[in-house]
Amino acid sequence: MEVSGTGGSSLDGSPYQGYLYTYPHKTAYRRLDPAPTLQELWADEPVTGLFGYVHVPFCDQRCGYCNLFTTANPREDVVRRFLDQVRREAVTARAALEATGRAVGFADAAVGGGTPTYLDAAGLEHLLDSLELLTGGLPAGFSVEASPSTVAADKLKVLFARGAGRVSIGVQSFVDAEVRQAVRRQHVAEVENALAEIRAAGFGVLNLDLIYGIEGQTPRSWEASLRRAVAWEPEEIFCYPLYVRPLTGLERRTGGRRGVAHGEQAGDPAWDARRMAMYQVAVDFLTAAGYRQESLRMFRRRDLSVVDAPYCCQDDGMVGLGCGARSYTRQLHYSHDYAVELRHVRGVLADYLDADDLGLARFGYRLDGDEQRRRWLVRTLLVADGVDLVAYAARFDGSTPEQDFPQLAELVERGWAQRLPQRFRLTAEGLAHADAIGPWLVSPAVRAAMETSPLR
């Protein structure tokens, strides 16, 4: 079964065309009319190895690079109403899953945002109670996102006691001037204090998020940030290339330009070259420091034992709570409405808080057989281990990625991918170009939906 073409994205352009952390991208979602019920959607889906997610759309500040669904410093009554609405949504979603008549089980879960640790300790308890109502028991070792300014001992105590095993904290840079250039209010001393609190709390996995390509950043200052990060011996480090996305503070400040101190424009080869040089600094430094590269962004300490993940995003579903969260069945990805600009975020949040019926999927994207194959490919090819050919054949009627996507031959010809007996995976050069390969694999239909997105 040969799948349709890629829709026009070129591998010869910028290596930084887009970050596909999920597929289809949220900008491809549209209003569903009629809106299906959750009970209909989950009736024939596997429900024994699910992933639970709660999105907290609150932060203490809106960073310049952020295009996530979040608002800063909401009123106390808004937070309270949000937590109550998440509770009702959890009950509704759980009822839809149990209506299948099969045993419901959750293999893993995460709490993201926004900044979940913006909530106080009581608010976190309330939120985790709701997640537990959905999952039937919080999966051991679930993940929580945090920011340095919102870390506090009482909050960490709640998270640890409820079974959280991984804390991911947005550091971005250990150089105060670089953090300011990214339009983020933060000081290194605050970061160091937060990391000490997290380590003292005893979580099994600490992840640090860092950003490269910030205006004024140099290879030397970038390596200094990496060195300070590694000093904490985090189990994971994510290194993100800077993107100046539409509707963000950085775009407003620069007029859409990148690296303005260097006179570079969006997509300018000079800015791409600087980011690529920073990327190579990270690869070389972290590899020497004992980390294994798992993707363009992710590095994991090599001394950690490898545990097979209990959840597979390709076969198992995801149930999201809170506006800003997405949910996945095999044939439909769905969510509440989404926005980026503050006034529109507040409008979507208000609609969510006022919603009487939380048992409908109102926005989403339907995945036919072609898109399900493409999702599997995008989600597996862009990580170091690549596509498991045996698993792919078992899932897709004995087919191979090369049969379904003949254009993959171009990656091999470029030296960006290799065909092994049981794997099709990217080479080191291919991983470096993952943010070009991902968009190149987007289907024409999804690309058209993304390009005409009404996202505000």
Side-chain angles (χ1 to χ4, degrees), residues 364-383:
Y365 194 94
R366 297 189 182 277
L367 283 71
D368 60 16
D370 290 357
E371 294 291 13
Q372 291 177 37
R373 282 171 158 80
R374 197 175 295 271
R375 170 174 164 77
W376 184 296
L377 179 68
V378 169
R379 294 285 290 170
T380 56
L381 181 60
L382 301 185
V383 298

Side-chain angles (χ1 to χ4, degrees), residues 45-295:
E45 291 290 318
V47 293
T48 58
L50 300 169
F51 188 97
Y53 175 69
V54 183
H55 185 90
V56 179
F58 308 132
C59 295
D60 66 330
Q61 58 181 298
R62 184 70 183 261
C63 301
Y65 49 82
C66 178
N67 70 338
L68 301 176
F69 185 89
T70 186
T71 184
N73 301 308
R75 300 191 316 269
E76 288 185 13
D77 66 303
V78 171
V79 175
R80 184 183 66 254
R81 291 180 61 202
F82 172 79
L83 292 172
D84 290 343
Q85 192 73 320
V86 168
R87 174 77 57 91
R88 287 189 284 271
E89 189 175 16
V91 171
T92 301
R94 181 73 190 193
L97 297 173
E98 291 182 345
T100 64
R102 303 185 297 277
V104 177
F106 281 76
D108 205 353
V111 184
T115 308
T117 49
Y118 174 83
L119 302 174
D120 61 18
L124 285 171
E125 287 277 21
H126 193 324
L127 189 79
L128 294 178
D129 286 345
S130 299
L131 182 57
E132 189 164 6
L133 283 173
L134 171 69
T135 60
L138 292 173
F142 67 90
S143 179
V144 180
E145 295 177 2
S147 68
S149 60
T150 62
V151 168
D154 61 337
K155 301 178 188 182
L156 297 177
K157 184 177 180 180
V158 167
L159 295 172
F160 188 80
R162 298 297 294 268
R166 178 180 183 271
V167 175
S168 178
I169 184 167
V171 173
Q172 319 317 350
S173 173
F174 282 89
V175 179
D176 283 340
E178 293 176 5
V179 175
R180 288 194 297 271
Q181 287 295 339
V183 194
R184 183 181 175 100
R185 299 187 308 275
Q186 178 176 293
H187 298 286
V188 172
E190 183 178 50
V191 172
E192 300 278 2
N193 290 338
L195 293 174
E197 291 272 17
I198 294 169
R199 276 308 194 200
F203 296 96
V205 177
L206 168 63
N207 172 71
L208 274 60
D209 286 347
L210 301 172
I211 291 178
Y212 58 91
I214 299 170
E215 180 183 342
Q217 189 178 54
T218 67
R220 185 174 180 178
S221 69
W222 172 231
E223 184 173 321
S225 280
L226 292 168
R227 192 175 304 279
R228 294 188 73 163
V230 166
W232 288 96
E233 299 183 351
E235 285 70 24
E236 298 171 359
I237 297 177
F238 275 68
C239 299
Y240 290 88
L242 178 65
Y243 279 92
V244 180
R245 297 179 172 94
L247 308 179
T248 62
L250 271 181
E251 188 201 40
R252 289 193 299 272
R253 193 180 75 174
T254 65
R257 293 175 295 159
R258 274 66 161 177
V260 291
H262 300 269
E264 298 157 7
Q265 303 295 318
D268 188 295
W271 192 52
D272 289 344
R274 284 200 305 120
R275 281 184 290 180
M276 188 62 76
M278 301 283 191
Y279 165 77
Q280 197 58 52
V281 167
V283 171
D284 294 344
F285 182 87
L286 293 176
T287 299
Y291 287 78
R292 177 181 185 268
Q293 185 175 9
E294 303 288 348
S295 69

